[in-house]
């Protein structure tokens, strides 16, 4: 073993000596061909045989140390030294280092090198010159082979480290490899597109770029499959268990020995009272039948669960329930509903045309009988969508709960009112007819004694009639152009004074139909105001400011004075209503178009007129004084306001709910107000109850013109309307605040003719009897008894 170790070292030293440095020897290399010189590559590395190595071993042993120093030094050997070693080293030919030619003996001793491949004879380096002119060996890159450990190594690796690739954006390369060569940037853009179009897309191509190399990122099929599974929320790989078995960190075995050896407590042997209560509760429920034991379903019940119903069979009566809605009985089909009916059921052309032209509601049948050869030729129902829509509307709009119809007599729902026969007396028939006016009779009034009837109409005359006989006893024409809109008697009996309004003038009349003493008293009452007016005019004459008076009081003229018209008062607008105070010294007038001067209060004993309202909301329609208290009620179009005349304050506002109030009247007790409106409603207000109407009566077909309470103590009131009728009602008011008023309709009085859509314009009650008088647009007045 020691003998063989020596020769093994010699070839390595000699090979190192050969590879060290080579000089040019031009003379000895004539045998080398020109082609080998041009390639500039070494044909191979010299090999030594064992014999040569053994021979040279003895020769080279003395000089071993020297040769090692020469190989390890960096000095360039001289040409002389190289010539002395020419037989064992390299020679330079035309600047190239080539091995010397081998001897014949050496070629013959190559038995040990017979197994060496041709690749071992080919040199794996190239000799070049560096910058100083010295030779430089450039070795080829290692090409991994099958037996190499780096079998999966790729091409040149970019060795720039962690430097961002953005630094190389302006250069054609992206870094350097292990040998310092530039790693060129891969093709992009049009060149890459052209390349991709010319070749097929390889397997594993993803279209992504590796940031480290700048080259396309390729994935294997397994990696692509894993990515696909992750994207589809599937198991990433076969054999993966998403629900692994639970690892029991603590044992589930039950130990025999308890944790404590203490004796059992006494409470574990005593029955629980709470459990006993619950058990008894369950036992009680079982006894009462509220808890039934479980009974497994039988096969008979399952078979009977599927039932079929014949819709034309007689339905069995079912117990009454709110959700039990019996199915409608559909009539069975007839011959004409068949798809192939007999010929006698088919319509003719005329019948078909008549059926098509008729409206859907006027057709006797919703279909026309049609004949088909086979059932498969019957078309689809053309109204299916329409009927489905209508059915949906029925389900959406119609209630699905059956409502039991109450078999109640409507008469029983009405309050039990007394019979009209028990409420007599009240007027029922026309006793007297008064004729004489030319045109409409707009107003009438009965004097406080109940003897005479005064009326005024479109002919401008004021007429006085004897109430019972219907005889006209006196008349006067107060105006030639204007109609007499209203006539009213002074309420007291000590003097007889009649007030009438025609246009903008008020006439105070003492008719010559009474005894001389009463006539003198009446004239003196009217003349007393002239002296007060003269005194007030003299005191106010010195004032520099002159205002337009609300009314001008004057004498009407000699002709009217001779006929009994003594005083004339002229206001700013046409007068429609006159209402007297209960004492007879004041009366109020209403001019609906007068705005701020619509309501005026006149003093009879002073011949003075006052305007109580500077600004009145709405158009005034009528006014009335309270029968016992100093309160004035003013009705506008939609409201009724009450004012205290002493305190001069507003008390209450009533809202009847009518669109346009036409008239009103106050009960003699002063706690109930009756309002009539042009929208055919009669409204009863209880002043102590609410500002809303207590009762709303709708018995008239047209507008209501006048309403009146009986002022003589009888529980009666009446309303006059344009429908030509007078409605008489029983209205009983009691002093008990817990009991409401009783209102009963008694009688409808008809007799007046309708002229120009106007019927009965005014109504008035007798002061003592259950009689009433009505004035109509037909020019007549009627007494109802």
């Amino acid at each position: 073993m020691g003998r063989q170790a020596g020769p093994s070292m010699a070839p390595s030293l000699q090979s190192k000596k050969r590879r060290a440095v080579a000089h040019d020897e031009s003379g000895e290399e004539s045998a080398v061909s020109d082609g080998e010189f041009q390639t500039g590559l070494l044909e191979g590395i010299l090999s030594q045989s064992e014999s040569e190595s053994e021979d040279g071993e003895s020769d080279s042993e003395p000089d071993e140390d020297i040769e090692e120093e020469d190989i390890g030094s960096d000095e360039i050997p001289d040409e002389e030294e190289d010539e002395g070693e020419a037989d064992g080293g390299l020679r330079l030919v035309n600047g190239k280092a080539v091995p010397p030619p081998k001897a014949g003996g050496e070629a013959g001793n190559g038995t040990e090198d017979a197994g060496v491949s041709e690749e071992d004879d080919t040199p794996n380096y190239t000799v070049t010159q560096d910058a100083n002119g010295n030779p430089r060996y450039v070795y080829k890159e290692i090409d991994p082979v099958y037996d190499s450990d780096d079998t999966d190594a790729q091409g040149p690796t970019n060795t720039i480290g962690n430097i961002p690739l953005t630094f190389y954006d302006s250069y054609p390369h992206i870094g350097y490899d292990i040998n310092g060569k530039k790693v060129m940037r891969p093709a992009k853009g049009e060149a890459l597109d052209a390349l991709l179009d010319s070749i097929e897309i390889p397997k594993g191509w993803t279209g992504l770029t590796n940031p480290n190399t700048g080259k396309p990122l390729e994935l294997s099929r397994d990696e692509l499959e894993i990515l696909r599974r992750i994207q589809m929320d599937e198991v990433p790989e076969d054999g993966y268990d998403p629900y692994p078995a639970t690892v029991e960190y603590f044992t589930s075995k039950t130990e025999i020995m308890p944790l404590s050896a203490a004796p059992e407590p006494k409470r574990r042997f005593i029955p629980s009272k709470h459990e006993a209560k619950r058990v008894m509760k369950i036992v009680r429920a079982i006894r009462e039948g509220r808890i039934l034991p479980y009974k497994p379903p039988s096969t008979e019940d399952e078979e009977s669960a599927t039932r079929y119903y014949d819709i034309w069979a007689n339905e069995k009566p079912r117990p009454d329930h709110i959700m039990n809605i019996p199915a409608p009985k559909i009539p069975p089909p007839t011959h004409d509903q068949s798809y192939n009916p007999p010929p006698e059921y088919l319509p003719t052309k005329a019948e078909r045309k008549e059926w098509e032209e008729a409206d859907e509601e006027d057709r006797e049948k919703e279909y026309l009988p049609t004949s088909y050869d086979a059932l498969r030729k019957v078309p689809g129902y053309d109204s299916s969508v329409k009927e489905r829509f209508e059915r949906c509307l029925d389900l959406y709009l119609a209630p699905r709960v059956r409502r039991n119809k109450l078999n109640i007599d409507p008469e029983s729902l009405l309050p039990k009112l007394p019979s009209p026969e028990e409420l007599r007396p009240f007027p029922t028939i026309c006793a007297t007819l008064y004729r004489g006016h030319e045109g409409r009779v707009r107003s009438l009034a009965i004097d406080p004694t109940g003897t005479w009837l005064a009326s005024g109409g479109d002919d401008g005359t004021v007429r006085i009639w004897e109430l019972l006989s219907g005889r006209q006893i006196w008349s006067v024409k107060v105006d030639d152009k204007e109609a007499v809109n209203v006539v009213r008697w002074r309420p007291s009996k000590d003097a007889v004074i009649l007030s009438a309004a025609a246009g903008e003038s008020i006439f105070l009349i003492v008719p010559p139909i009474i005894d001389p003493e009463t006539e003198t008293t009446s004239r003196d009452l009217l003349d007393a105001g002239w002296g007060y007016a003269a005194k007030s005019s003299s005191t106010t004459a010195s004032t520099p400011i002159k205002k337009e008076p609300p009314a001008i009081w004057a004498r009407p003229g000699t002709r009217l004075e001779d006929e009994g018209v003594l005083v004339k008062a002229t206001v700013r607008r046409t007068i429609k209503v006159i209402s007297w105070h209960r004492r007879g010294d004041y009366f109020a007038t209403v001019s609906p178009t007068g705005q701020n001067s619509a309501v005026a209060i006149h003093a009879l004993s002073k011949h003075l007129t006052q305007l109580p309202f500077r600004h009145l909301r709405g158009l005034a329609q009528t006014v009335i004084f309270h029968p016992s208290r100093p309160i004035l009620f003013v009705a506008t179009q939609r409201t009724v306001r009450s004012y205290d005349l002493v305190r001069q304050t507003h008390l209450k506002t009533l809202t009847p709910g009518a669109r346009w109030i036409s008239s009103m009247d106050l009960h003699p007790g002063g706690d109930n107000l009756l309002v009539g409106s042009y929208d055919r409603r009669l409204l009863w207000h209880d002043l102590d109850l609410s500002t809303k109407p207590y009762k709303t009566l709708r018995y008239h077909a047209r507008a209501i013109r006048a309403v009146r309470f009986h002022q003589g103590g009888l529980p009666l009131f009446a309303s006059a309307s344009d429908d030509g009728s007078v409605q008489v009602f029983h209205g009983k008011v009691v002093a008990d605040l817990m009991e409401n008023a009783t209102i009963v309709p008694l009688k409808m009085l008809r007799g007046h003719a309708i002229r120009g859509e106007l019927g009965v314009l005014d109504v008035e009650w007798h002061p003592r009897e259950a009689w009433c008088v009505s004035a109509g647009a037909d020019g007549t007045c009627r007494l109802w008894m």
Side-chain angles (χ1 to χ4, degrees):
M1 293 295 290
R3 189 172 179 269
Q4 292 178 356
S8 62
M9 295 294 294
S12 61
L13 294 175
Q14 293 177 1
S15 61
K16 291 181 180 179
K17 290 165 67 177
R18 291 193 202 96
R19 297 179 182 177
V21 178
H23 295 275
D24 294 337
E25 293 182 4
S26 58
E28 298 178 359
E29 299 299 328
S30 59
V32 183
S33 63
D34 297 336
E36 292 177 351
F37 296 159
Q38 294 177 358
T39 56
L41 297 176
L42 294 177
E43 294 178 353
I45 300 175
L46 296 178
S47 60
Q48 288 181 331
S49 60
E50 292 182 357
S51 61
E52 185 178 0
S53 61
E54 291 177 356
D55 296 340
E57 181 180 358
S58 59
D59 298 338
S60 59
E61 284 180 357
D63 300 330
E64 183 177 355
D65 298 333
I66 301 173
E67 291 177 355
E68 290 179 357
E69 292 179 0
D70 294 341
I71 294 172
S73 62
D74 295 336
E75 296 180 359
I76 299 174
D78 298 335
E79 294 180 359
E80 296 178 356
E81 295 176 358
D82 292 338
E83 291 175 357
E85 298 175 358
D87 54 344
L90 297 176
R91 294 175 296 172
L92 293 178
V93 180
N94 296 332
K96 302 292 183 178
V98 296
K102 296 180 182 180
E106 294 178 358
N109 296 331
T111 56
E112 295 180 1
D113 298 336
V116 181
S117 62
E118 296 179 1
E119 295 180 358
D120 297 335
D121 299 334
T122 304
N124 62 344
Y125 60 90
T126 304
V127 181
T128 59
Q129 290 184 355
D130 56 7
N132 298 325
N134 298 326
R136 177 185 178 188
Y137 294 87
V138 178
Y139 291 89
K140 294 181 180 180
E141 296 181 359
I142 299 174
D143 185 11
V145 292
Y146 178 77
D147 57 351
S148 174
D149 294 337
D150 195 8
T151 56
D152 296 335
Q154 299 178 357
T157 306
N158 195 351
T159 58
I160 61 173
N162 295 329
I163 298 176
L165 291 178
T166 55
F167 291 177
Y168 294 92
D169 289 345
S170 59
Y171 297 98
H173 59 282
I174 59 174
Y176 300 90
D177 59 1
I178 193 66
N179 295 323
K181 291 185 179 181
K182 296 179 180 179
V183 178
M184 303 306 295
R185 188 183 304 276
K188 294 182 180 179
E190 297 179 357
L192 184 60
D193 294 340
L195 179 62
L196 291 176
D197 293 341
S198 61
I199 62 176
E200 296 181 356
I201 298 177
K203 294 182 179 180
W205 183 83
T206 59
L208 303 177
T209 304
N210 191 346
N212 293 329
T213 62
K215 293 184 179 180
L217 177 64
E218 295 183 0
L219 300 177
S220 63
R221 182 172 297 178
D222 296 338
E223 294 173 343
L224 291 175
E225 181 64 19
I226 291 175
L227 291 177
R228 186 193 67 79
R229 290 185 178 184
I230 294 174
Q231 185 178 6
M232 300 300 293
D233 294 336
E234 297 179 0
V235 178
E237 60 183 1
D238 296 338
Y240 175 78
D241 186 8
Y243 305 103
T246 304
V247 178
E248 296 185 359
Y249 295 95
F250 302 96
T251 178
S252 59
K253 295 180 181 180
T254 304
E255 299 294 339
I256 297 176
M257 297 299 295
L259 296 179
S260 175
E264 294 288 339
K266 183 179 180 181
R267 62 177 178 273
R268 296 186 182 178
F269 300 95
I270 299 175
S272 174
K273 295 182 179 180
H274 174 69
E275 292 180 357
K277 289 182 180 180
R278 294 191 62 183
V279 170
M280 290 305 300
K281 186 176 181 181
I282 296 173
V283 171
R284 192 181 300 109
I286 294 175
R287 290 175 179 176
E288 294 176 358
R290 292 184 283 109
I291 298 179
L292 299 176
Y294 173 74
K295 182 179 180 181
S298 61
T299 57
E300 297 180 358
D301 296 340
E302 295 178 357
E303 294 177 357
S304 61
T306 305
R307 297 181 180 180
Y308 302 96
Y309 298 93
D310 185 4
I311 61 175
W312 289 289
N314 294 327
E315 185 178 0
K316 296 181 181 179
R318 298 176 61 184
D320 190 12
H321 192 268
I322 191 171
M323 296 302 294
N324 178 25
I325 303 176
K329 292 294 183 180
I330 302 175
T334 57
H335 294 287
D336 58 351
Q337 294 181 357
S338 174
Y339 72 92
N340 190 12
E344 58 268 17
Y345 290 96
L346 297 176
T348 60
K349 293 182 179 180
E351 293 176 350
R352 181 180 294 274
K353 184 178 180 182
E354 181 182 358
W355 184 85
E356 291 176 354
E357 293 178 354
D359 294 337
E360 294 183 0
E361 298 178 356
D362 299 337
R363 295 172 181 172
E364 296 181 1
K365 297 180 180 180
E366 297 180 357
Y367 61 92
L368 274 180
T370 309
S371 177
Y372 298 97
D373 298 340
L375 184 61
R376 66 177 181 274
K377 295 182 180 180
V378 179
Y381 185 44
D382 55 351
S383 301
S384 60
V385 177
K386 180 181 178 182
E387 289 188 358
R388 182 65 60 87
F389 176 71
E390 292 177 354
R391 176 61 176 163
C392 293
L393 288 182
D394 293 342
L395 294 175
Y396 173 65
L397 300 175
R400 304 307 299 167
V401 178
R402 185 181 64 177
R403 300 185 182 277
N404 296 328
K405 186 176 181 181
L406 300 178
N407 296 324
I408 300 176
D409 185 11
E411 299 293 338
S412 63
L413 299 177
L414 298 176
K416 294 182 179 181
L417 299 176
S419 175
E421 299 297 331
E422 301 175 359
L423 301 178
R424 287 185 182 275
F426 56 85
T428 57
I429 60 173
C430 179
T432 307
L433 182 63
Y434 308 92
R435 295 181 182 272
H437 280 282
E438 297 177 0
R440 306 166 185 161
V441 180
R442 292 184 174 270
S443 179
L444 50 78
I446 300 177
D447 74 308
T449 61
T451 307
W452 301 291
L453 172 66
S455 62
D458 287 349
D459 53 1
T461 61
V462 177
R463 301 173 187 267
I464 298 179
W465 315 77
E466 196 174 28
L467 183 63
L468 295 178
S469 63
R471 181 174 61 91
Q472 178 180 325
I473 59 177
W474 182 82
S475 67
V476 62
K477 192 174 183 64
V478 295
D479 201 316
D480 296 334
K481 298 180 181 179
E482 298 289 342
V484 178
N485 293 319
V486 58
V487 292
R488 292 291 180 267
W489 292 93
R490 183 175 178 269
S492 63
K493 297 180 181 180
D494 56 349
V496 178
I497 298 175
L498 177 64
S499 60
E504 300 174 358
S505 302
I506 307 170
F507 299 93
L508 300 178
I509 306 169
V510 178
I513 57 173
I514 53 179
D515 57 282
E517 183 179 357
T518 306
E519 183 179 357
T520 303
T521 304
S522 302
R523 287 177 176 269
D524 294 341
L525 182 60
L526 293 178
D527 292 339
W530 298 117
Y532 184 85
K535 293 178 182 179
S536 61
S537 61
S538 62
T539 55
T540 58
S542 59
T543 58
I545 301 176
K546 294 183 179 180
K547 294 182 180 180
E548 181 182 1
I552 300 175
W553 294 72
R555 299 184 183 275
T558 305
R559 181 184 67 82
L560 294 178
E561 288 181 3
D562 294 341
E563 295 182 358
V565 182
L566 302 180
V567 179
K568 176 182 178 182
T570 305
V571 296
R572 301 173 183 178
R573 290 291 186 270
T574 302
I575 298 173
K576 295 292 184 180
V577 177
I578 296 178
S579 178
W580 282 87
H581 191 264
R582 66 183 183 278
R583 295 180 181 178
D585 193 21
Y586 297 93
F587 64 94
T589 60
V590 177
S591 302
T593 60
Q595 296 180 356
N596 295 340
S597 61
V599 179
I601 298 179
H602 310 274
L604 183 63
S605 60
K606 300 178 181 180
H607 289 188
L608 291 179
T609 301
Q610 299 176 356
L611 301 178
F613 303 104
R614 295 181 180 179
H615 178 69
L616 185 63
R617 296 179 180 179
L619 299 178
Q621 301 297 315
T622 181
V623 296
I624 190 172
F625 288 96
H626 194 276
S628 59
R629 289 183 288 178
I631 298 176
L632 178 67
F633 292 87
V634 180
T636 58
Q637 285 184 347
R638 299 195 177 188
T639 59
V640 178
R641 292 182 174 86
S642 58
Y643 299 91
D644 191 337
L645 297 177
V646 176
R647 299 179 181 177
Q648 298 182 2
T649 57
H650 173 255
L651 298 179
K652 188 184 295 184
T653 300
L654 306 178
T655 56
R659 295 181 180 179
W660 197 302
I661 297 175
S662 60
S663 59
M664 70 175 177
D665 195 15
L666 201 60
H667 191 270
D671 294 334
N672 295 273
L673 184 69
L674 195 63
V675 177
S677 65
Y678 290 114
D679 54 356
R680 305 171 296 177
R681 285 189 285 183
L682 183 63
L683 307 161
W684 180 293
H685 276 272
D686 190 340
L687 301 180
D688 296 333
L689 186 63
S690 173
T691 59
K692 304 292 183 181
Y694 163 65
K695 287 289 184 180
T696 300
L697 308 176
R698 294 180 175 88
Y699 288 95
H700 289 286
R702 293 189 179 181
I704 297 177
R705 292 287 176 174
V707 292
R708 289 291 184 274
F709 274 111
H710 195 287
Q711 302 295 330
L714 296 177
L716 297 173
F717 67 92
S719 61
S721 173
D722 283 340
D723 58 2
S725 65
V726 176
Q727 289 279 357
V728 180
F729 298 88
H730 172 83
K732 182 181 179 181
V733 179
V734 296
D736 187 5
L737 297 178
M738 301 300 294
E739 185 177 353
N740 295 325
T742 303
I743 302 173
V744 181
L746 298 177
K747 187 67 176 179
M748 179 184 293
L749 306 177
R750 290 185 177 275
H752 289 279
I754 299 176
R755 296 287 187 271
E757 298 184 356
L758 296 177
V760 183
L761 300 179
D762 200 4
V763 67
E764 184 71 22
W765 286 98
H766 191 276
R768 295 182 305 275
E769 303 293 337
W771 303 343
C772 68
V773 185
S774 60
D778 55 356
T780 62
C781 299
R782 294 176 182 267
L783 173 63
W784 306 89
M785 301 178 68

